[in-house]
Amino acid sequence: MLLRGALWQLLHLRFDMILLKGRGSTIWIDRRVRVRGMLKVGDFAKLDLRFCGSGTIGPSFSLGDFSIMRASGSSTFTCPEIKVGANVSFGPYCNIGGGFGLNIGEGVIAGPYVSIHPEEHGLTADQTIRAQPVHGAGINIGRDCWLSAKSTLLDGTNLAEGTVLGAGAIAAKCQTEPNGIYVGAPARFLRKRKKTCSADEATAP
């Protein structure tokens, strides 16, 4: 992976990172996107950060095997900004869009098949779906969040620090509480994350 990454960096004259490039992976990174530290792109994954107004990828970012992270799906649309904090990792088969803006805090972990879509499509009945424009508010994911397998985040979602999304949960225009656990479709509050008892608390009468 390191050798493939070094070759990619040499061909693209990008020396602002340590790149680990998986087999069959494809990588495009706009010059307006800064990459810090180590970047790992898994086997047959696609990291497409073209058509991005600005952005930062923090140290120790990992994109899982067969996953796709794409700032924009069209050369006629520019994603305003993608910001990813340090120590963020996505499992295999994830689908992450940039849309109208994506902000991911540090320490976020995403399991396999997680989908993130920071945009919406027009749905009026007086014209075809294809002819209608996209719109959106973007998605914000606070630090230390856990996105379980097959969870989905739709445009307008704001996950507070420490949020956990259960497997298969769908967060649509969702505003969560810090350290809350959310499950279901649509995602609903289940309970707060519990703190581990100290040794003194565990032995107290």
Side-chain angles (χ1 to χ4, degrees), residues 34-39 56-61 83-88:
R34 299 173 58 197
V35 183
R36 299 171 177 167
M38 184 172 291
L39 171 67
T56 305
I57 305 296
S60 300
F61 175 72
K83 291 178 65 178
V84 179
N87 300 309
V88 171

Side-chain angles (χ1 to χ4, degrees), residues 58-162:
S60 300
F61 175 72
S62 177
L63 186 65
D65 298 345
F66 299 96
S67 291
I68 297 173
M69 184 174 188
R70 181 185 291 121
S72 171
S74 170
S75 60
T76 62
F77 175 80
T78 299
C79 167
E81 184 178 45
I82 289 180
K83 291 178 65 178
V84 179
N87 300 309
V88 171
S89 62
F90 285 88
Y93 298 100
C94 291
N95 191 330
I96 307 120
F100 285 82
L102 176 62
N103 183 21
I104 303 176
E106 63 181 34
V108 170
I109 299 174
Y113 295 98
V114 167
S115 294
I116 300 176
H117 306 284
E119 61 184 49
E120 291 186 86
H121 208 285
L123 299 175
T124 58
D126 55 352
Q127 56 181 318
T128 63
I129 294 291
R130 183 178 292 277
Q132 297 184 49
V134 293
H135 59 280
I139 289 176
N140 181 72
I141 302 170
R143 62 178 298 278
D144 190 35
C145 289
W146 177 15
L147 315 178
S148 298
K150 298 185 179 179
S151 57
T152 300
L153 282 71
L154 301 180
D155 184 63
T157 292
N158 186 1
L159 299 187
E161 177 178 334

